[in-house]
Amino acid sequence: QVQLVESGGGVVQPGGSLRLSCAASAFSFSDYGMHWVRLAPGKGLEWVALIRDDGSKEYYGDSVKGRFTISRDNSKNTLYLQMNTLRAEDTAVYYCATSTLTDAFDIWGQGTKVTVSS
Amino acid sequence: EIVLTQSPGTLSLSPGERATLSCRTSQSVSRTHLAWYQAKPGQAPRLLIYAASDRATGIPDRFSGSGSGTDFTLTISRLEPEDFAVYYCQQYGTSWTFGQGTRVEVK
């Protein structure tokens, strides 16, 4: 069964760091670009970052540029999001997602919750 | 950045009724780059419609999408109990942006 499973969320103080992971299974992970998307309380979905299939290029949303780093390990079928200098407004459920059959996001994980609070 | 505005914010309907959700984009978006998703708490968001009107794998035919340019619509012909959720539109032609969502709730 095609699956993405996020982990690594938790409670962190403002200014702190956290690393999220997304484990992929039952599809050819190394063939596809991977995204992070977040859903903050009371807000809509926000695209966070993309990494190309081979890890050669990364793209970031303006609100996280310079603070977050997306990476991947194709030998482990795992995607990462290193989040530094966290702010209260980064509080959200973070999802990994990918496009396999279409250019839209046709596979999503169930999300991992990040809370930035003192 | 292309801004997507969804309306209404909340739609209160009964099972069996028709739901019509709107998504307006701040600039013209190619039909091939407009999608709709369903989101429920604690679950993975689900792709419903891509390329404005193509149903994703396994999506029932009561879900349909239409529109072009800056105005797009998701229609649920007859609401089933499992359809009460939040729906998001997305453009993926110029970077990736989502609307703020429409909540479909039980009246």
Side-chain angles (χ1 to χ4, degrees), chain A residues 53-69:
Chain A
D53 55 356
D54 60 359
S56 62
K57 188 78 174 172
E58 305 149 30
Y59 304 85
Y60 297 94
D62 288 342
S63 62
V64 306
K65 204 172 293 184
R67 300 187 300 123
F68 289 13
T69 302

Side-chain angles (χ1 to χ4, degrees), chain A residues 38-57:
Chain A
R38 67 185 181 183
L39 181 60
K43 297 195 174 181
L45 292 166
E46 179 187 11
W47 173 76
V48 173
L50 160 71
I51 187 167
R52 285 189 178 173
D53 55 356
D54 60 359
S56 62
K57 188 78 174 172

Side-chain angles (χ1 to χ4, degrees), chain A residues 12-118:
Chain A
V12 61
Q13 291 189 338
S17 298
L18 210 54
R19 189 174 87 151
L20 307 183
S21 299
C22 168
S25 57
F27 71 99
S28 186
F29 177 76
S30 60
D31 286 345
Y32 302 102
M34 295 294 300
H35 299 263
W36 286 99
V37 178
R38 67 185 181 183
L39 181 60
K43 297 195 174 181
L45 292 166
E46 179 187 11
W47 173 76
V48 173
L50 160 71
I51 187 167
R52 285 189 178 173
D53 55 356
D54 60 359
S56 62
K57 188 78 174 172
E58 305 149 30
Y59 304 85
Y60 297 94
D62 288 342
S63 62
V64 306
K65 204 172 293 184
R67 300 187 300 123
F68 289 13
T69 302
I70 188 172
S71 62
R72 65 191 297 161
D73 185 338
N74 285 346
S75 69
K76 295 182 178 179
N77 289 345
T78 302
L79 173 73
Y80 303 100
L81 185 67
Q82 177 66 43
M83 304 186 295
N84 297 331
T85 320
L86 283 160
R87 306 167 180 165
E89 54 266 35
D90 296 319
T91 294
V93 176
Y94 285 74
Y95 300 95
C96 55
T98 189
S99 308
T100 59
L101 300 176
T102 74
D103 289 335
F105 297 178
D106 46 44
I107 304 175
W108 294 71
Q110 292 197 310
T112 187
K113 187 174 181 180
V114 172
T115 302
V116 184
S117 173
S118 54

Side-chain angles (χ1 to χ4, degrees), chain B residues 78-96:
Chain B
R78 288 179 57 85
L79 283 164
E80 297 288 339
E82 62 269 26
D83 298 337
F84 292 93
V86 180
Y87 293 84
Y88 295 93
C89 57
Q90 178 207 30
Q91 69 79 25
Y92 46 100
T94 304
S95 189
W96 300 268

